[in-house]
Amino acid sequence: MSDAASPAPVISVGAYLAHRLVQLGAPHVFGLPGDFNLSLLDEMLTVPGIVWVGTTNELNAAYAADAYARTVRAPAALVTTYGVGELSAINGVAGSFAEDVPVVQVTGMPSAAQREGAALLHHSLVDGDFDHFVRAYREVVGASAVLREEDATLAIDRTLRAALESSKPVYLGIPSDVAVVQVSSAALATPLKASASDPAALAGFREALAQTLDGAEQVTVLAGTQVHRRRAEDRLVDVANRSGVRVATLAGAKAMLPEDHPASIGTYMGAMTTNPAVRAAVDSATPLVLAGTVFSDVLTGLFSHRFDVASAIELSISHARVGRAFFDGVHLGDGLAALDEVLAASERAAVSPVQALPAPRRTPAGDDDPLTQEELWAAFQEWLPGGVITIADAGTALYGALSLRMPEGTDLLVQPIWSSIGFTLPATLGTCLAAPDRPSILLVGDGAAQLTATEVATIWQRGLAPMIVLIDNAGYTIERVIQSPRAVYQDVTAWDWTALPAALAPGVDVLTASASTPSELRSALADAGEALGKRPVLLRVVTGPDDEPPLLTALGESVKASLAG
């Protein structure tokens, strides 16, 4: 068997794909076996470096691949079988599209002969049309291909390159007989990489940028998650280091610029911005640079932003804009580098930082009082170490986490655009495998966790050691805040959460604890700190079903106001 760097001259299509994934830096492949993908999996697993990660269902595989791709910043693959498997995963892949994550959905399909003969097969709609689900996936991916024997490697490379270029998910349908076809490995000698920015467009953008910023006493940058997706954080920091620059981030990009950086002014969420001075600084900024931003409802406080997007300077994944002048082919990292060059060419006075809000006055609860959301997030803030990956599920966990000040080197992984509850538990599998040297800490509500809880079996039985903080508040508190808090559909069944290790990972040493008072929480966090990164932790914290973080209260008020208006 040849090694991954020097494959044999002729290899199978499945092995070719696997070599490409290893080259791209994403060797873990998530998914489930099915009769239409078994030959494909057998071929992929002949490649040294490829690691199969079997999950408990295909949706969880898609969620895990998403978080893995975010963490390694490379296209990450999941493999499903035709029909029943790929349709189970499509929700997760759609979330990757919404959040600019390059997941590679690989479907093992019926053979080319069966497709051409319109065979009435299981897992199909028994109408002889095998492209129903290919067409469905075209709605949620940036590129797709169903491989043919004659040009399989070209199609693989074209599709993977599209994932690199666009930071969007892609779809590869591989018929079972095509998976084993022998092809030349010669193209593997040239690693895939994204193309460079168009030189003429970049020069034009730089010139327009210089004209627009000429004479500006200060420059305000609002940064979003696309900066992270394009590995451009260092270039954002370079811009932030220039005099006269201040930087705010959207909620999903909260920890992208160190929060103690002198140019960092905080998180912007329109009317939900916790510091009015930050909101005023962004809404009144002239000029305003939008770097890798997407303006969805949650990120803008239900579209309550007051700045004019059309008149701003925009840096996106593959284009830039200065007012109405559009420059296609300018990649985000190069756009930030051009901004840095223009700022370096002229001196500006240092701007006064936006005044931070004083810490809210809080009357500590008694040690044995019932635990509140206020006490939970205050204690977690005090305890939270640096250098970890913190993952927060949509709902109470998200809005509590957004209120935290992240220590240096701590990432915050959230899904504010797609907001699919349950995403983060399988996502924690992805972060643990992608960054084994950094502890992962999951914050998740009971309702969200029930959707995907089976994946803790995979996490624990693979020897991974995340810390899971399970907020047990007897239902869907985020929905209670918005409407009909007493409705029966807001409730979830009660689980014995600390019994999960015995049921799902017998023999695995999981540290479990339950906290329903401030003193119990502090004690449990102290024990968790000792175990962090060495031993899995499951900490159940109990809060009231109507208790919510202040930011979630603000969201509920905004939603109610919009419905009333």
Side-chain angles (χ1 to χ4, degrees):
M1 182 182 294
S2 61
D3 62 36
S6 303
V10 177
I11 58 177
S12 69
V13 167
Y16 186 95
L17 172 60
H19 277 286
R20 281 301 195 201
L21 294 172
V22 171
Q23 286 181 343
L24 289 170
H28 290 83
V29 176
F30 302 86
L32 275 78
D35 50 354
F36 292 126
N37 68 22
L38 297 179
S39 294
L40 170 64
L41 290 175
D42 284 343
E43 295 300 326
M44 293 183 71
L45 293 175
T46 64
V47 175
I50 283 288
V51 181
W52 172 249
V53 185
T55 56
T56 58
N57 61 62
E58 291 87 355
L59 175 60
N60 287 358
Y63 287 156
D66 178 296
Y68 184 87
R70 294 182 193 221
T71 307
V72 300
R73 255 81 71 85
L78 68 146
V79 178
T80 66
T81 197
Y82 175 77
V84 293
E86 60 185 329
L87 290 183
S88 292
I90 198 168
N91 171 30
V93 176
S96 298
F97 188 95
E99 304 255 344
D100 297 307
V101 183
V103 165
V104 185
Q105 159 63 40
V106 183
T107 292
M109 303 183 77
S111 71
Q114 289 169 327
R115 284 169 50 80
E116 292 167 5
L120 303 185
L121 300 180
H122 64 289
H123 295 344
S124 78
L125 299 184
V126 291
D127 62 355
D129 183 349
F130 288 97
D131 287 338
H132 286 293
F133 315 131
V134 176
R135 292 192 292 271
Y137 263 96
R138 285 176 185 155
E139 296 293 324
V140 296
V141 298
S144 64
V146 176
L147 301 192
R148 305 179 303 173
E149 180 176 346
E150 56 266 32
D151 60 358
T153 60
L154 290 175
I156 288 172
D157 288 355
R158 173 183 60 81
T159 307
L160 293 180
R161 189 176 288 108
L164 288 170
E165 297 274 358
S166 66
S167 197
K168 294 290 189 184
V170 296
Y171 176 95
L172 283 172
I174 306 183
S176 56
D177 52 347
V178 175
V180 301
V181 165
Q182 297 295 295
V183 293
S184 171
S185 68
L188 293 174
T190 304
L192 299 178
K193 60 181 180 180
S195 63
S197 292
D198 178 82
L202 184 57
F205 168 67
R206 189 182 291 108
E207 181 180 353
L209 191 61
Q211 292 175 358
T212 300
L213 297 184
D214 185 35
E217 294 183 1
Q218 67 180 23
V219 175
T220 302
V221 178
L222 179 59
T225 54
Q226 290 178 353
V227 174
H228 173 272
R229 306 293 188 264
R230 306 314 291 173
R231 296 176 176 261
E233 297 99 323
D234 289 347
R235 291 185 173 176
L236 178 64
V237 171
D238 290 341
V239 169
N241 288 338
R242 298 296 177 189
S243 60
V245 173
R246 56 189 182 185
V247 180
T249 58
L250 291 175
K254 177 178 174 61
M256 198 167 53
L257 180 71
E259 294 192 83
D260 59 356
H261 191 286
S264 175
I265 61 174
T267 301
Y268 177 87
M269 293 184 71
M272 290 171 58
T273 306
T274 55
N275 187 343
V278 173
R279 186 186 186 191
V282 174
D283 281 342
S284 64
T286 305
L288 175 64
V289 178
L290 306 174
T293 53
V294 176
F295 296 120
S296 70
D297 52 355
V298 171
L299 294 177
T300 59
L302 299 183
F303 307 114
S304 57
H305 55 295
R306 294 173 178 164
F307 55 83
D308 181 14
V309 174
S311 63
I313 297 164
E314 181 186 19
L315 310 176
S316 193
I317 284 179
S318 58
H319 72 265
R321 180 178 55 79
V322 180
R324 295 185 178 181
F326 188 84
F327 303 91
D328 193 23
V330 175
H331 296 179
L332 180 54
D334 292 332
L336 283 168
L339 175 61
D340 182 46
E341 292 170 11
V342 170
L343 293 172
S346 59
E347 287 297 322
R348 293 172 176 80
V351 296
S352 299
V354 169
Q355 186 67 38
L357 288 178
R361 291 188 176 182
R362 183 173 64 87
T363 302
D367 284 348
D368 298 321
D369 287 346
L371 187 63
T372 64
Q373 289 278 336
E374 183 180 34
E375 290 292 331
L376 164 61
W377 296 107
F380 191 79
Q381 176 72 85
E382 183 178 340
W383 173 86
L384 183 62
V388 303
I389 300 174
T390 304
I391 309 107
D393 209 285
T396 302
L398 170 63
Y399 291 93
L402 290 178
S403 69
L404 298 172
R405 187 172 182 83
M406 292 293 162
E408 184 175 356
T410 295
D411 290 334
L412 177 63
L413 191 157
V414 295
Q415 197 195 42
I417 297 175
W418 193 239
S419 291
S420 185
I421 66 169
F423 162 74
T424 57
L425 205 155
T428 301
L429 170 63
T431 61
C432 287
L433 292 171
D437 297 331
R438 298 180 63 193
S440 289
I441 300 175
L442 168 63
L443 306 167
V444 63
D446 55 346
Q450 286 191 8
L451 271 74
T452 54
T454 53
E455 218 55 59
V456 295
T458 310
I459 292 170
W460 291 333
Q461 293 197 37
R462 291 187 72 93
L464 305 173
M467 174 180 173
I468 299 173
V469 179
L470 190 290
I471 304 168
D472 190 346
N473 51 14
Y476 301 114
T477 294
I478 185 171
E479 311 296 353
R480 297 185 197 277
V481 169
I482 295 172
Q483 185 172 315
S484 305
R486 301 276 71 83
V488 64
Y489 53 73
Q490 307 287 23
D491 301 329
V492 299
T493 57
W495 286 20
D496 184 350
W497 291 101
T498 56
L500 285 187
L504 298 180
V508 177
D509 183 19
V510 180
L511 173 62
T512 62
S514 186
S516 57
T517 68
S519 62
E520 289 174 347
L521 177 60
R522 289 192 296 270
S523 176
L525 288 173
D527 291 342
E530 294 292 325
L532 191 63
K534 307 169 190 172
R535 178 184 176 194
V537 175
L538 175 58
L539 169 57
R540 169 181 173 259
V541 294
V542 181
T543 62
D546 297 316
D547 189 19
E548 71 261 3
L551 195 58
L552 183 52
T553 303
L555 173 67
E557 292 172 351
S558 297
V559 171
K560 291 171 185 175
S562 68
L563 293 174

